[in-house]
Amino acid sequence: MGSWISMSDACSQLGVRPQTIYAYVSRGKLEVMPDPADTRRSLYRAEDVAALAKRKQAGRKHETLATNTLFGAEPSIPTAISTFHRQRLYYRGHDAVALAGSASLEEAAQLLWDSDQQADFSSAARVASPGRVAAFTSLATLAATGHSTHGRMTRVLHGECQSLVGQLANAFGAQHGKRPLHMRFAQAWKLSPQAAEQLRTAMVLLVDHELTSSAFATRIAASTGASLPACLLSGLTTLSGPLHGDASGRVKALFNEVERQGEDQVIAHYLSTGQPLAGFGHHLYPDGDPRAAALLALFEPPEVIARFIDKATQLTGQHPNIDVALAALAAHCKLPDEAAFGLFATARSIGLLAHCLEQLGTAQVIRPRGRYVGVLPEVA
């Protein structure tokens, strides 16, 4: 049996703070167990700590350090917005799943933006043809004419953040008006109050996920003093990739295959060809994505999809992540084609703007250096 050490010993050996230890644990790099003498504390596998310390020492050269900072698993930008602890997501110290049990998007925005007042996303704007094109077009127009964030008070920026989220929601199809945002989406799609609650839960669970690619893109734009709509557009264009915020679209395509061919045939095809099933497994949640579990517990997906999720989980050992849960919710509620991405993008815009606001407090331009690997310059 391996030896185990305390948090303070682990921090001392690695030269890091407790937050970094938690990050190592959430990413599966460091095994943890409750302290038998005090269950409120944790012990960490000494062999894992030693291996991390050795790897850290080996990567001290400037070139290696620069590469690992940008592409490595450990976060390189300080943030107080969200983090992971023991395979759970937390928004400013609040368990995201517990918060999604009752909080509205407006309340989640107040928390993430560290605002004195609850957000108001009401908007009177009408969109003739709602969808992705309308959302990105309207945001691009605002970005082209927006004012720099520099020299503006936080309360003014909060007001503009509220307006941006409200306009984005309308562009994705939410009914205009002053009701809470999840109810405006439900009203537009003629959903029941129960389904509206499911939308609320899903969107609160999707508000933020630490330093994602889209959050990093948003922070880069914010660090240059770009306008709020420009920062948000930077983040949302990154979010739109199928390996990020539009992953539910890949899951939807998989569900369509299941509905046409049956779950057994689809699973057999993917497993026999070695292809991964979209939406199953998550490197931050090796024991299962708690956001997906919380959302899937609120409704019964269509029968064939439910069977597929169960069988895929049993045969692969990989649990469904939030992208599967969101696509299943869209199928359950019979939402329009782009609704899943619209819900994700609208909810995550709150988190992206939170990252933008936080980045403004650093007054530092994010400018990574390139590591040139091309043909050497000819020197005369």
Side-chain angles (χ1 to χ4, degrees), residues 132 206 238-255 277-282 291 321-328 340-342 344-345:
R132 193 179 308 213
L206 290 165
T238 305
L239 185 83
S240 67
L243 300 182
H244 190 9
D246 205 15
S248 60
R250 296 169 59 218
V251 177
K252 182 178 184 296
L254 186 60
F255 285 173
L277 291 166
F280 285 84
H282 197 298
R291 301 170 301 166
N321 62 32
I322 191 64
D323 300 311
V324 167
L326 183 59
F341 177 73
F344 197 153

Side-chain angles (χ1 to χ4, degrees), residues 97-378:
V97 171
L99 191 70
S102 59
S104 66
L105 273 174
E106 289 77 7
E107 291 168 337
Q110 180 182 3
L111 175 65
L112 266 67
W113 295 348
D114 196 21
S115 174
D116 294 333
Q117 295 183 334
Q118 183 174 307
D120 178 4
F121 300 137
S122 60
S123 174
R126 294 176 181 272
V127 177
S129 301
R132 193 179 308 213
V133 172
F136 280 95
T137 300
S138 63
L139 197 53
T141 301
L142 293 170
T145 57
H147 299 295
S148 170
T149 52
H150 285 186
R152 302 170 68 195
M153 296 184 69
T154 301
R155 61 175 177 78
V156 176
L157 295 176
H158 281 171
E160 187 174 354
C161 286
Q162 292 178 146
S163 176
L164 285 171
V165 176
Q167 291 180 69
L168 190 66
N170 280 3
F172 276 118
Q175 186 76 30
H176 69 281
K178 297 184 177 297
R179 305 180 78 186
L181 203 48
H182 69 281
M183 296 180 68
R184 288 170 50 203
F185 274 114
Q187 184 178 4
W189 296 328
K190 297 178 171 56
L191 302 179
S192 67
Q194 183 180 16
E197 278 296 291
Q198 293 160 2
L199 296 187
R200 181 195 58 73
T201 301
M203 295 179 79
V204 173
L205 290 170
L206 290 165
V207 161
D208 196 58
H209 208 234
E210 204 227 45
L211 194 64
T212 59
S213 303
S214 54
F216 189 41
T218 301
R219 282 180 173 268
I220 292 174
S223 75
T224 69
S227 68
L228 285 177
C231 296
L232 183 55
L233 182 61
S234 297
L236 288 181
T237 52
T238 305
L239 185 83
S240 67
L243 300 182
H244 190 9
D246 205 15
S248 60
R250 296 169 59 218
V251 177
K252 182 178 184 296
L254 186 60
F255 285 173
N256 289 341
E257 288 184 56
V258 170
E259 289 173 345
R260 288 194 306 268
Q261 304 173 28
E263 69 276 10
D264 291 329
Q265 187 170 339
V266 170
I267 293 173
H269 170 73
Y270 275 80
L271 294 184
S272 65
T273 56
Q275 299 180 66
L277 291 166
F280 285 84
H282 197 298
H283 70 284
L284 292 176
Y285 308 112
D287 295 331
D289 187 339
R291 301 170 301 166
L295 185 55
L296 288 170
L298 299 181
F299 64 93
E300 288 288 338
E303 187 176 348
V304 66
I305 291 176
R307 290 200 307 267
F308 168 73
I309 293 174
D310 288 342
K311 290 182 179 180
T313 302
Q314 292 171 13
L315 290 172
T316 66
Q318 300 279 359
H319 297 274
N321 62 32
I322 191 64
D323 300 311
V324 167
L326 183 59
L329 177 62
H332 169 72
C333 295
K334 297 181 173 58
L335 301 184
D337 282 344
E338 293 189 331
F341 177 73
L343 291 170
F344 197 153
T346 302
R348 187 57 60 87
S349 68
I350 294 170
L352 295 180
L353 289 167
H355 282 279
C356 176
L357 294 169
E358 186 176 61
Q359 186 62 39
L360 296 179
T362 67
Q364 208 170 21
V365 176
I366 299 175
R367 203 299 193 183
R369 292 301 309 274
R371 183 167 60 91
Y372 185 67
V373 295
V375 176
L376 291 176
E378 295 183 6

